[in-house]
Amino acid sequence: MKTSEIRQRWLDYFGERGHTVVPSASLVSEDPTVMFTIAGMVPFIPYLTGLIPAPYPRATSVQKCIRTNDIEEVGKTPRHGTFFQMTGNFSFGDYFKKGAIEYAWDLLTTSESDGGYGFSEKDLWVTVYKDDDEAIALWKSIAGLPDERIQRLDKDTNYWSTGHPGPAGPSSEIFFDRGPAYGPDGGPATDDDRYVEIWNLVFMQYEIENVRSKTEFDIVRELPSKNIDTGMGLERVAFLKQGVENMYEIDQVRPVLDRASELSGRRYGADHDDDVRMRVVADHVRSSLMLMSDGVMPSNEGRGYILRRLLRRSVRAMRLLGVEGPTFPELFSASRDAMSPAYPEVARDYDRISQAAYGEEDTFLRTLASGTTILDLAVDSSKKTGSSVLAGDTAFLLHDTYGFPIDLTLEIADEAGLTVDRDAFDSLMSQQKQRAKADAKNKKSQVADLSVYSAFRALGETQFLGYTEMTADSRVLGIIVDGESVTSAAAGQTAEVILSETALYAESGGQDADKGTIVGDGFELEVLDVQRPVKGLISHTVTVTRGVVSVDAAATTVVDAEYRRGARQAHSGTHVIHAALRQILGPNAHQSGSYNKAGYLRLDFSWNQALSRETLTEIEEISNNAIRDNLDVVTREMPLDEAKSLGAMALFGEKYGDVVRVVDIGGPWSRELCAGTHVSTSSEIGMINLVNESSVGSTNRRVESLVGLEAFDDLAAERAIVRELTASLKTPREQLPGRITDLVASLKQAEKKIKEYEQQAQAQRVPELLGTVETVGATRVVAQSLGSMGSADDVRTLVTTVRERLGSEPAVVALAANVKDRPVIIIATNEAARSAGIRAGQLVRTAAGVLGGGGGGKDDMAQGGGQDPAAIPAALTSVVDAVTS
């Protein structure tokens, strides 16, 4: 049974039984405390917790998920994968335990010919929370399971909560027994790979408080409306139904594994380590493909960093399989073909996805090349000192700074006959993780506690009237201070105010929140921020500047008209620049992020190379021509499918409802889904002035622009500079570039002549220095102070020249100088001196110790320094003494 068929059977089964079929949400989580959608129930959490009234009594979905907390286990077990699909059925106050158990058992054990999955009842086990006698009784009566195949487990495995006060409840899990060939008897309680969990049923029936840990909390009451949340692992059922050993061998994943095998020439199944690497490649390539299809791009932070890590682990695994060249064109196309039947957008957006993936692979292969060079030098240095161990801090530097995997460091060191100081490396890695944990200490890893908003959201959605109104009369529904709901807030306090209506725009879609005030009888509030903490609710963060604001008070929101005008100009300007970019660069230049505020905008877009000055000028010209042409800006609301059929572009990672707002500028020239505020005609934007273009990752670029009056002010400032230059240089404006070029050329020529004079002056010092030679034993020594010098390079040049002039007899040259108020000493030895055991590095460390600093280098030349120029004579004396000894 193909994975796509298992998926469709699930949706058909529950759809036919009154469940609303809900499309998968994006892998990019709406929850600001969680980067990715990590479970099938995540999109339904607001309904399950009562934060938002459920729009349907029962629902079903097949949800795309990403989890990376067990990334090191990928490939080693049959069930760990970063990308997976979780099927789920949900009840919001409708059916409860009996219905959930009946549905699960029926679908699993009904024959394939009758639309079920056809599992044999004798192979199925269940676990329940140890005190849930009701669930045990239901399993016996519905499924006829004997006592020995129902195992009672504790809260750590069979109890669900958000980790915060609120809904919670016991769970029951269904396991498939793979048979004695896969492990000992004993059931799921053995926690053995023989028993594979395929379905988890959560019975959300209690309210908990005083949450102290995952297993320590107080149950205070039963919920008046009980919910069901279940999830079945699609990949786990697929590998069981397809008769393969693990999830990496199912039809949606195996093609990538096979391609990795072909490219490497290694047979899958022949070697355990190679098998793990192929499974890592198969999992990570698929996960990366799906992340990028939802708009995530490689970067050095957040979601982009996780994606980059997956891509680089794939490259590393192929490298360890013996493939050093690019492989993504082969691997990603195999994954595309396997996944597109279930997710057509993967094929539709493949040009954009592949461009990003190939660029990242190319960048990392260059990183590996440079890391290998550094590693080779470190290996060579270790060998020269007679050590058989590569320092742990070197391995950590390669890993942390260059992204060079420790596996490759171990491999290359082993080939050179060295081991790596793993204890030191692991210690440094541990310290780094502790720093990361400390940095994230205040960030919640579980579901955000938004319960304070639930009572307000239950009153309905906040109406946003700001598209057409700059003021709006409203009523105060709630006030929050320090996370707690209160009845009032007084002058000087900062609070969140929830209103029934507002004209103030909440930050979203890249547009900054409005500025403004909220006024009422006896109070005035300065608006600091406007956000949407939960879907449908707008919260205003305010400072009470006068009086006392209370719940139920009448209030009027007043938008700062000047700021709103600037924000509208910037947001419409973003659409115009995006259209101009696509007109010049083509459809692959797709917006990947933006930020707009009054007078300023930035636009991130998918592209893998810098834009030339000529291209930027062309983009700016097209944008300002669109402004000059006074194009109509039209906004319409329509069903999402209709908007897409009209060609409206959506921003990857943004969430859209069934009804969307479409913004047209010049008709189809710019047609995007957007909930922001906009101008009425393009001429209201005023002016676009592109001020910067930069990289935000190997496959993303960023353009920044000033808009409107700010754009004019910036150009006026440049005009003032030009006027000043024309006056100073007595040159007409149109001749300034040539005049400045001539001046720069003249300056370079003068600097060149000065350098030549300095070199001549130095050369004249060589005879003087040769006249100071003293013989120490069998070695000729020059040890002199040069006084003040411009740079250490000048000192090095003299040292090298003097050494060459001393001939082939043993010789040491030690010259010191005051360089920018710091003592510098450089020492050189010739071959005869080194043969006699005299090493420049050892001598310079001796001298640097006298100077109050440090130094080092090779046997033939070394450099040191310190803090005290007055100690230079003593340092030189110490060199002579060291040669004597």
Side-chain angles (χ1 to χ4, degrees):
M1 190 182 295
K2 289 186 178 296
T3 307
S4 58
E5 184 182 350
I6 298 171
R7 177 180 186 270
Q8 194 58 50
R9 285 185 180 224
W10 177 277
L11 296 175
D12 290 345
Y13 179 88
F14 284 102
E16 291 166 1
R17 288 158 179 78
H19 293 69
T20 299
V21 177
V22 180
S24 173
S26 170
L27 286 168
V28 178
S29 174
E30 288 188 358
D31 185 339
T33 68
V34 181
M35 284 194 291
F36 299 118
T37 301
I38 58 174
M41 51 84 73
V42 167
F44 300 97
I45 286 177
Y47 311 144
L48 293 167
T49 59
L51 185 61
I52 298 177
Y56 24 66
R58 51 176 71 181
T60 187
S61 69
V62 178
Q63 176 61 48
K64 300 179 292 184
C65 303
I66 285 279
R67 289 184 192 169
T68 57
N69 54 323
D70 290 329
I71 193 170
E72 299 298 337
E73 297 304 311
V74 170
K76 299 177 182 177
T77 74
R79 63 186 186 275
H80 280 99
T82 47
F83 173 83
F84 60 97
Q85 300 157 87
M86 185 63 73
T87 63
N89 59 288
F90 307 90
S91 166
F92 311 106
D94 191 4
Y95 61 84
F96 196 50
K97 287 184 187 178
K98 182 175 182 293
I101 291 173
E102 286 176 339
Y103 285 141
W105 192 253
D106 183 49
L107 180 55
L108 284 175
T109 60
T110 294
S111 67
E112 292 185 15
S113 60
D114 290 329
Y117 292 137
F119 283 102
S120 173
E121 295 182 11
K122 66 179 178 62
D123 295 327
L124 299 177
W125 291 61
V126 298
T127 63
V128 296
Y129 175 55
K130 63 180 184 179
D131 296 334
D132 193 356
D133 294 333
E134 179 187 6
I136 291 174
L138 287 168
W139 278 116
K140 288 181 177 181
S141 63
I142 293 170
L145 284 172
D147 287 337
E148 60 267 21
R149 283 200 280 133
I150 303 174
Q151 295 188 319
R152 295 175 184 257
L153 298 179
D154 214 334
K155 287 179 181 177
D156 58 338
T157 59
N158 281 69
Y159 213 95
W160 180 88
S161 77
T162 64
H164 302 289
S171 67
S172 182
E173 297 170 331
I174 306 173
F175 288 79
F176 178 82
D177 179 5
R178 305 175 76 193
Y182 292 92
D185 264 336
T190 62
D191 195 28
D192 192 85
D193 284 343
R194 168 175 170 171
Y195 300 92
V196 179
E197 179 196 340
I198 55 177
W199 201 327
N200 182 27
L201 297 85
V202 174
F203 311 126
M204 211 172 296
Q205 64 187 106
Y206 299 115
E207 183 175 346
I208 61 173
E209 290 182 355
N210 192 23
V211 179
R212 300 174 292 283
S213 70
K214 181 180 178 181
T215 58
E216 296 180 344
F217 46 78
D218 298 332
I219 298 175
V220 293
R221 64 182 64 86
E222 284 209 359
L223 292 171
S225 178
K226 298 179 176 64
N227 298 328
I228 286 293
D229 153 32
T230 87
M232 185 187 80
L234 189 59
E235 282 78 8
R236 295 187 183 187
V237 172
F239 88 71
L240 295 173
K241 294 304 296 179
Q242 293 174 17
V244 296
E245 292 297 308
N246 51 62
M247 63 167 289
Y248 313 102
E249 298 176 15
I250 67 174
D251 59 308
Q252 285 188 343
V253 186
R254 182 64 187 248
V256 183
L257 188 152
D258 288 340
R259 198 73 194 99
S261 174
E262 293 169 11
L263 291 170
S264 65
R266 311 272 181 102
R267 183 174 63 84
Y268 183 66
D271 178 86
H272 172 74
D273 290 342
D274 283 350
D275 289 352
V276 170
R277 290 160 186 159
M278 291 181 207
R279 292 196 286 262
V280 166
V281 171
D283 172 87
H284 287 6
V285 165
R286 184 173 78 138
S287 301
S288 300
L289 175 80
M290 299 308 295
L291 279 171
M292 287 189 283
S293 75
D294 273 355
V296 181
M297 288 289 112
S299 69
N300 287 327
E301 58 187 24
R303 299 180 183 94
Y305 175 75
I306 298 297
L307 171 60
R308 173 162 284 168
R309 188 181 179 201
L310 292 172
L311 291 167
R312 292 189 168 192
R313 279 174 58 88
S314 303
V315 175
R316 176 189 69 177
M318 291 303 297
R319 171 73 178 257
L320 292 172
L321 287 168
V323 183
E324 298 190 4
T327 60
F328 281 3
E330 299 282 348
L331 299 174
F332 269 80
S333 60
S335 190
R336 173 201 62 200
D337 295 343
M339 295 303 296
S340 57
Y343 300 98
E345 63 271 19
V346 169
R348 184 181 64 242
D349 298 334
Y350 189 69
D351 285 348
R352 174 184 61 82
I353 294 168
S354 60
Q355 183 183 56
Y358 302 167
E360 185 66 20
E361 180 181 37
D362 181 63
T363 298
F364 188 49
L365 286 173
R366 290 199 301 270
T367 296
L368 288 177
S370 60
T372 301
T373 301
I374 295 169
L375 182 54
D376 287 344
L377 291 172
V379 167
D380 185 58
S381 176
S382 296
K383 284 185 170 183
K384 283 185 176 178
T385 59
S387 174
S388 62
V389 180
L390 187 71
D393 56 357
T394 300
F396 180 76
L397 173 71
L398 285 163
H399 168 85
D400 192 51
T401 304
Y402 297 95
F404 200 81
I406 183 62
D407 296 21
L408 287 180
T409 300
L410 292 169
E411 178 190 28
I412 293 171
D414 183 62
E415 290 173 354
L418 301 177
T419 59
V420 176
D421 187 346
R422 282 303 300 265
D423 289 342
F425 174 83
D426 291 340
S427 175
L428 290 167
M429 284 293 293
S430 177
Q431 292 173 30
Q432 185 192 58
K433 288 178 180 178
Q434 289 172 6
R435 288 193 297 269
K437 285 181 180 178
D439 185 52
K441 188 175 181 180
N442 295 321
K443 297 179 181 178
K444 298 172 184 173
S445 60
Q446 294 178 300
V447 180
D449 184 6
L450 302 173
S451 57
V452 69
Y453 299 105
S454 59
F456 310 132
R457 181 59 184 82
L459 300 174
E461 296 191 15
T462 308
Q463 293 187 54
F464 174 63
L465 307 176
Y467 289 133
T468 57
E469 306 294 333
M470 298 296 282
T471 63
D473 294 332
S474 185
R475 183 173 65 89
V476 178
L477 299 180
I479 300 171
I480 301 170
V481 176
D482 295 329
E484 301 289 336
S485 179
V486 297
T487 57
S488 64
Q493 284 188 287
T494 298
E496 287 184 67
V497 173
I498 312 296
L499 303 173
S500 55
E501 298 88 16
T502 184
L504 291 156
Y505 183 81
E507 180 183 358
S508 61
Q511 182 175 329
D512 209 358
D514 271 337
K515 293 182 179 179
T517 56
I518 302 174
V519 296
D521 186 13
F523 66 84
E524 183 171 338
L525 317 175
E526 179 187 356
V527 177
L528 305 177
D529 194 13
V530 190
Q531 294 290 332
R532 298 179 184 268
V534 297
K535 186 178 180 181
L537 194 72
I538 295 177
S539 171
H540 309 76
T541 301
V542 302
T543 293
V544 184
T545 55
R546 180 174 63 83
V548 177
V549 59
S550 302
V551 173
D552 285 331
T556 300
T557 55
V558 181
V559 177
D560 182 325
E562 285 299 314
Y563 189 85
R564 169 69 76 80
R565 178 186 294 114
R568 286 164 46 202
Q569 289 175 315
H571 205 152
S572 297
T574 302
H575 286 222
V576 166
I577 291 175
H578 189 201
L581 272 168
R582 292 170 64 83
Q583 181 175 324
I584 295 171
L585 302 178
N588 284 340
H590 199 291
Q591 179 178 338
S592 56
S594 66
Y595 174 69
N596 317 287
K597 65 178 182 178
Y600 169 85
L601 70 86
R602 70 169 184 249
L603 172 67
D604 297 344
F605 60 99
S606 51
W607 202 250
N608 60 3
Q609 57 186 351
L611 303 186
S612 67
R613 184 66 254 177
E614 292 75 17
T615 299
L616 290 170
T617 299
E618 190 175 358
I619 292 168
E620 194 174 58
E621 182 178 354
I622 291 172
S623 299
N624 283 300
N625 283 340
I627 293 171
R628 179 202 62 191
D629 292 343
N630 198 29
L631 303 174
D632 287 334
V633 179
V634 178
T635 59
R636 297 172 288 166
E637 288 192 349
M638 62 182 69
L640 178 60
D641 290 341
E642 181 182 346
K644 289 183 175 179
S645 69
L646 291 174
M649 285 185 293
L651 178 62
F652 290 109
E654 282 292 310
K655 313 298 184 299
Y656 300 100
D658 295 332
V659 177
V660 294
R661 191 163 178 264
V662 178
V663 178
D664 289 354
I665 301 179
W669 183 70
S670 171
R671 178 169 289 160
E672 300 191 29
L673 303 183
C674 183
T677 62
H678 288 274
V679 298
S680 300
T681 63
S682 62
S683 62
E684 292 179 34
I685 297 172
M687 179 185 295
I688 281 174
N689 175 14
L690 292 178
V691 293
N692 191 42
E693 190 269 352
S694 60
S695 168
V696 285
S698 60
T699 57
N700 275 284
R701 306 296 299 180
R702 170 176 292 170
V703 290
E704 297 174 87
S705 176
L706 299 176
V707 186
L709 188 59
E710 283 78 0
F712 173 79
D713 289 343
D714 184 70
L715 292 172
E718 289 190 1
R719 181 176 61 186
I721 293 171
V722 170
R723 283 176 175 170
E724 186 175 342
L725 287 172
T726 58
S728 298
L729 300 177
K730 296 181 174 57
T731 304
R733 182 178 65 180
E734 60 274 10
Q735 296 178 17
L736 271 180
R739 175 67 171 143
I740 292 173
T741 298
D742 291 343
L743 287 173
V744 170
S746 297
L747 180 60
K748 287 182 177 179
Q749 186 64 29
E751 290 173 344
K752 182 179 179 181
K753 288 183 178 179
I754 291 171
K755 187 66 177 177
E756 290 174 353
Y757 291 144
E758 289 176 344
Q759 291 174 348
Q760 291 174 8
Q762 288 185 32
Q764 292 172 1
R765 300 189 68 171
V766 172
E768 175 188 344
L769 292 169
L770 290 171
T772 66
V773 173
E774 56 182 308
T775 301
V776 179
T779 305
R780 307 177 72 193
V781 178
V782 173
Q784 293 294 315
S785 173
L786 302 174
S788 294
M789 297 287 285
S791 70
D793 288 341
D794 294 336
V795 180
R796 186 175 293 104
T797 299
L798 278 173
V799 168
T800 302
T801 303
V802 172
R803 179 180 62 178
E804 291 173 352
R805 298 283 292 275
L806 285 175
S808 58
E809 296 179 15
V812 174
V813 180
L815 301 182
N818 184 345
V819 177
K820 298 177 182 177
D821 296 325
R822 291 289 183 92
V824 171
I825 185 166
I826 297 178
I827 300 175
T829 61
N830 63 7
E831 186 176 350
R834 294 191 294 276
S835 297
I838 302 173
R839 304 283 186 263
Q842 294 173 353
L843 294 176
V844 94
R845 282 189 286 273
T846 299
V850 177
L851 295 172
K858 296 183 179 181
D859 293 344
D860 63 332
M861 184 172 289
Q863 176 177 329
Q867 304 295 323
D868 185 10
I872 285 177
L876 292 169
T877 298
S878 72
V879 172
V880 175
D881 292 344
V883 173
T884 302
S885 62

PDB file of all heavy atoms in Angstrom, residues 698-715:
ATOM      1  N   SER A 698      23.130  32.382   1.103  1.00  0.00           N
ATOM      2  CA  SER A 698      23.680  31.983  -0.191  1.00  0.00           C
ATOM      3  C   SER A 698      22.659  32.051  -1.303  1.00  0.00           C
ATOM      4  O   SER A 698      23.032  32.126  -2.474  1.00  0.00           O
ATOM      5  CB  SER A 698      24.250  30.562  -0.096  1.00  0.00           C
ATOM      6  OG  SER A 698      23.234  29.634   0.264  1.00  0.00           O
ATOM      7  N   THR A 699      21.367  32.031  -0.964  1.00  0.00           N
ATOM      8  CA  THR A 699      20.337  32.016  -2.007  1.00  0.00           C
ATOM      9  C   THR A 699      19.323  33.134  -1.845  1.00  0.00           C
ATOM     10  O   THR A 699      18.255  33.091  -2.439  1.00  0.00           O
ATOM     11  CB  THR A 699      19.597  30.670  -1.997  1.00  0.00           C
ATOM     12  OG1 THR A 699      19.035  30.453  -0.696  1.00  0.00           O
ATOM     13  CG2 THR A 699      20.536  29.532  -2.339  1.00  0.00           C
ATOM     14  N   ASN A 700      19.639  34.134  -1.035  1.00  0.00           N
ATOM     15  CA  ASN A 700      18.712  35.242  -0.827  1.00  0.00           C
ATOM     16  C   ASN A 700      19.448  36.571  -0.850  1.00  0.00           C
ATOM     17  O   ASN A 700      20.556  36.686  -0.319  1.00  0.00           O
ATOM     18  CB  ASN A 700      17.974  35.089   0.507  1.00  0.00           C
ATOM     19  CG  ASN A 700      16.750  34.220   0.399  1.00  0.00           C
ATOM     20  OD1 ASN A 700      15.719  34.650  -0.108  1.00  0.00           O
ATOM     21  ND2 ASN A 700      16.861  32.986   0.847  1.00  0.00           N
ATOM     22  N   ARG A 701      18.809  37.552  -1.462  1.00  0.00           N
ATOM     23  CA  ARG A 701      19.344  38.913  -1.501  1.00  0.00           C
ATOM     24  C   ARG A 701      18.345  39.852  -0.829  1.00  0.00           C
ATOM     25  O   ARG A 701      17.178  39.506  -0.640  1.00  0.00           O
ATOM     26  CB  ARG A 701      19.583  39.378  -2.948  1.00  0.00           C
ATOM     27  CG  ARG A 701      20.450  38.476  -3.788  1.00  0.00           C
ATOM     28  CD  ARG A 701      21.864  38.358  -3.288  1.00  0.00           C
ATOM     29  NE  ARG A 701      22.578  39.620  -3.274  1.00  0.00           N
ATOM     30  CZ  ARG A 701      23.850  39.741  -2.872  1.00  0.00           C
ATOM     31  NH1 ARG A 701      24.516  38.684  -2.440  1.00  0.00           N
ATOM     32  NH2 ARG A 701      24.445  40.920  -2.884  1.00  0.00           N
ATOM     33  N   ARG A 702      18.813  41.019  -0.496  1.00  0.00           N
ATOM     34  CA  ARG A 702      17.957  42.029   0.149  1.00  0.00           C
ATOM     35  C   ARG A 702      18.191  43.377  -0.515  1.00  0.00           C
ATOM     36  O   ARG A 702      19.342  43.777  -0.732  1.00  0.00           O
ATOM     37  CB  ARG A 702      18.264  42.129   1.640  1.00  0.00           C
ATOM     38  CG  ARG A 702      17.608  43.321   2.352  1.00  0.00           C
ATOM     39  CD  ARG A 702      17.869  43.295   3.848  1.00  0.00           C
ATOM     40  NE  ARG A 702      17.178  42.161   4.462  1.00  0.00           N
ATOM     41  CZ  ARG A 702      17.367  41.775   5.721  1.00  0.00           C
ATOM     42  NH1 ARG A 702      18.248  42.413   6.485  1.00  0.00           N
ATOM     43  NH2 ARG A 702      16.698  40.741   6.206  1.00  0.00           N
ATOM     44  N   VAL A 703      17.106  44.052  -0.860  1.00  0.00           N
ATOM     45  CA  VAL A 703      17.196  45.441  -1.297  1.00  0.00           C
ATOM     46  C   VAL A 703      16.507  46.309  -0.249  1.00  0.00           C
ATOM     47  O   VAL A 703      15.496  45.920   0.328  1.00  0.00           O
ATOM     48  CB  VAL A 703      16.556  45.670  -2.688  1.00  0.00           C
ATOM     49  CG1 VAL A 703      17.377  45.016  -3.775  1.00  0.00           C
ATOM     50  CG2 VAL A 703      15.119  45.175  -2.741  1.00  0.00           C
ATOM     51  N   GLU A 704      17.082  47.471  -0.015  1.00  0.00           N
ATOM     52  CA  GLU A 704      16.513  48.435   0.925  1.00  0.00           C
ATOM     53  C   GLU A 704      16.264  49.737   0.198  1.00  0.00           C
ATOM     54  O   GLU A 704      17.059  50.142  -0.663  1.00  0.00           O
ATOM     55  CB  GLU A 704      17.457  48.645   2.107  1.00  0.00           C
ATOM     56  CG  GLU A 704      17.673  47.394   2.939  1.00  0.00           C
ATOM     57  CD  GLU A 704      18.725  47.583   4.014  1.00  0.00           C
ATOM     58  OE1 GLU A 704      18.381  48.040   5.111  1.00  0.00           O
ATOM     59  OE2 GLU A 704      19.904  47.290   3.728  1.00  0.00           O
ATOM     60  N   SER A 705      15.179  50.388   0.560  1.00  0.00           N
ATOM     61  CA  SER A 705      14.816  51.612  -0.141  1.00  0.00           C
ATOM     62  C   SER A 705      14.211  52.608   0.832  1.00  0.00           C
ATOM     63  O   SER A 705      13.521  52.230   1.786  1.00  0.00           O
ATOM     64  CB  SER A 705      13.803  51.300  -1.254  1.00  0.00           C
ATOM     65  OG  SER A 705      13.377  52.492  -1.883  1.00  0.00           O
ATOM     66  N   LEU A 706      14.485  53.863   0.580  1.00  0.00           N
ATOM     67  CA  LEU A 706      13.745  54.939   1.236  1.00  0.00           C
ATOM     68  C   LEU A 706      12.563  55.291   0.352  1.00  0.00           C
ATOM     69  O   LEU A 706      12.613  55.133  -0.874  1.00  0.00           O
ATOM     70  CB  LEU A 706      14.648  56.143   1.466  1.00  0.00           C
ATOM     71  CG  LEU A 706      15.870  55.882   2.369  1.00  0.00           C
ATOM     72  CD1 LEU A 706      16.755  57.120   2.444  1.00  0.00           C
ATOM     73  CD2 LEU A 706      15.429  55.456   3.764  1.00  0.00           C
ATOM     74  N   VAL A 707      11.494  55.758   0.972  1.00  0.00           N
ATOM     75  CA  VAL A 707      10.246  55.976   0.252  1.00  0.00           C
ATOM     76  C   VAL A 707       9.687  57.347   0.602  1.00  0.00           C
ATOM     77  O   VAL A 707       9.801  57.808   1.744  1.00  0.00           O
ATOM     78  CB  VAL A 707       9.207  54.885   0.616  1.00  0.00           C
ATOM     79  CG1 VAL A 707       7.958  55.023  -0.242  1.00  0.00           C
ATOM     80  CG2 VAL A 707       9.798  53.500   0.460  1.00  0.00           C
ATOM     81  N   GLY A 708       9.076  57.981  -0.395  1.00  0.00           N
ATOM     82  CA  GLY A 708       8.384  59.240  -0.145  1.00  0.00           C
ATOM     83  C   GLY A 708       9.325  60.364   0.222  1.00  0.00           C
ATOM     84  O   GLY A 708      10.397  60.543  -0.382  1.00  0.00           O
ATOM     85  N   LEU A 709       8.960  61.141   1.234  1.00  0.00           N
ATOM     86  CA  LEU A 709       9.750  62.314   1.627  1.00  0.00           C
ATOM     87  C   LEU A 709      11.139  61.907   2.103  1.00  0.00           C
ATOM     88  O   LEU A 709      12.118  62.616   1.849  1.00  0.00           O
ATOM     89  CB  LEU A 709       9.011  63.081   2.729  1.00  0.00           C
ATOM     90  CG  LEU A 709       9.604  64.443   3.115  1.00  0.00           C
ATOM     91  CD1 LEU A 709       9.649  65.375   1.904  1.00  0.00           C
ATOM     92  CD2 LEU A 709       8.790  65.073   4.247  1.00  0.00           C
ATOM     93  N   GLU A 710      11.247  60.757   2.776  1.00  0.00           N
ATOM     94  CA  GLU A 710      12.564  60.286   3.233  1.00  0.00           C
ATOM     95  C   GLU A 710      13.484  60.017   2.042  1.00  0.00           C
ATOM     96  O   GLU A 710      14.692  60.271   2.103  1.00  0.00           O
ATOM     97  CB  GLU A 710      12.408  59.022   4.082  1.00  0.00           C
ATOM     98  CG  GLU A 710      11.929  59.257   5.498  1.00  0.00           C
ATOM     99  CD  GLU A 710      10.432  59.503   5.575  1.00  0.00           C
ATOM    100  OE1 GLU A 710       9.760  59.483   4.505  1.00  0.00           O
ATOM    101  OE2 GLU A 710       9.918  59.720   6.691  1.00  0.00           O
ATOM    102  N   ALA A 711      12.920  59.507   0.950  1.00  0.00           N
ATOM    103  CA  ALA A 711      13.709  59.276  -0.261  1.00  0.00           C
ATOM    104  C   ALA A 711      14.211  60.598  -0.825  1.00  0.00           C
ATOM    105  O   ALA A 711      15.376  60.726  -1.231  1.00  0.00           O
ATOM    106  CB  ALA A 711      12.872  58.547  -1.309  1.00  0.00           C
ATOM    107  N   PHE A 712      13.343  61.610  -0.847  1.00  0.00           N
ATOM    108  CA  PHE A 712      13.743  62.934  -1.345  1.00  0.00           C
ATOM    109  C   PHE A 712      14.817  63.543  -0.448  1.00  0.00           C
ATOM    110  O   PHE A 712      15.797  64.116  -0.945  1.00  0.00           O
ATOM    111  CB  PHE A 712      12.529  63.853  -1.407  1.00  0.00           C
ATOM    112  CG  PHE A 712      12.887  65.282  -1.747  1.00  0.00           C
ATOM    113  CD1 PHE A 712      13.149  65.653  -3.060  1.00  0.00           C
ATOM    114  CD2 PHE A 712      13.003  66.241  -0.751  1.00  0.00           C
ATOM    115  CE1 PHE A 712      13.499  66.962  -3.368  1.00  0.00           C
ATOM    116  CE2 PHE A 712      13.358  67.543  -1.053  1.00  0.00           C
ATOM    117  CZ  PHE A 712      13.604  67.906  -2.372  1.00  0.00           C
ATOM    118  N   ASP A 713      14.634  63.440   0.874  1.00  0.00           N
ATOM    119  CA  ASP A 713      15.609  64.019   1.804  1.00  0.00           C
ATOM    120  C   ASP A 713      16.993  63.403   1.602  1.00  0.00           C
ATOM    121  O   ASP A 713      18.012  64.100   1.682  1.00  0.00           O
ATOM    122  CB  ASP A 713      15.156  63.790   3.255  1.00  0.00           C
ATOM    123  CG  ASP A 713      13.952  64.648   3.626  1.00  0.00           C
ATOM    124  OD1 ASP A 713      13.679  65.622   2.901  1.00  0.00           O
ATOM    125  OD2 ASP A 713      13.291  64.337   4.633  1.00  0.00           O
ATOM    126  N   ASP A 714      17.048  62.081   1.349  1.00  0.00           N
ATOM    127  CA  ASP A 714      18.329  61.424   1.139  1.00  0.00           C
ATOM    128  C   ASP A 714      18.995  61.933  -0.140  1.00  0.00           C
ATOM    129  O   ASP A 714      20.208  62.207  -0.161  1.00  0.00           O
ATOM    130  CB  ASP A 714      18.130  59.913   1.056  1.00  0.00           C
ATOM    131  CG  ASP A 714      19.445  59.161   0.930  1.00  0.00           C
ATOM    132  OD1 ASP A 714      20.208  59.126   1.902  1.00  0.00           O
ATOM    133  OD2 ASP A 714      19.706  58.612  -0.163  1.00  0.00           O
ATOM    134  N   LEU A 715      18.216  62.085  -1.202  1.00  0.00           N
ATOM    135  CA  LEU A 715      18.766  62.611  -2.454  1.00  0.00           C
ATOM    136  C   LEU A 715      19.200  64.064  -2.288  1.00  0.00           C
ATOM    137  O   LEU A 715      20.204  64.493  -2.864  1.00  0.00           O
ATOM    138  CB  LEU A 715      17.734  62.476  -3.569  1.00  0.00           C
ATOM    139  CG  LEU A 715      17.415  61.038  -3.993  1.00  0.00           C
ATOM    140  CD1 LEU A 715      16.251  61.019  -4.963  1.00  0.00           C
ATOM    141  CD2 LEU A 715      18.638  60.381  -4.630  1.00  0.00           C
TER     142      LEU A 715
END
